[in-house]
Amino acid sequence: MPIISPLITSTLRPGSSIRGGPASGPLFVLAWLAFACVILLSAFQTSATAQTATSPIPLPSPFTPVVDDAQVIEPATRQKLESIYV
């Protein structure tokens, strides 16, 4: 963020520049900010696309949503929980 605030303030003050020269005017700064926004948005798009991929860990066959290794859940309760889950 320390880089962006001088860029924004230079666009608000006409004739001011960060480094000097023709590539430091308000149009250049706005183009640089637009480029940074495009890069950030494409990074978010990539992460959103990656989340929709299939899991590398396969589901167990047969799929049992309720695992009761201690055998403390009654069979009727287990069936009800499985029906709710499925």
Side-chain angles (χ1 to χ4, degrees):
M1 278 318 223
I3 295 173
I4 294 175
S5 85
L7 293 174
I8 293 172
T9 57
S10 71
T11 60
L12 297 176
R13 287 181 283 153
S16 65
S17 65
I18 295 173
R19 294 185 201 122
S24 64
L27 189 59
F28 175 76
V29 172
L30 290 176
W32 186 86
L33 287 174
F35 177 73
C37 289
V38 167
I39 295 297
L40 286 175
L41 289 175
S42 66
F44 288 130
Q45 179 65 28
T46 304
S47 66
T49 306
Q51 292 176 357
T52 59
T54 59
S55 174
I57 302 170
L59 291 175
S61 177
F63 179 67
T64 55
V66 178
V67 178
D68 184 25
D69 290 333
Q71 298 178 355
V72 293
I73 301 175
E74 297 176 5
T77 306
R78 179 186 177 126
Q79 289 176 353
K80 186 174 182 179
L81 287 172
E82 286 179 353
S83 68
I84 291 171
Y85 183 80
V86 173

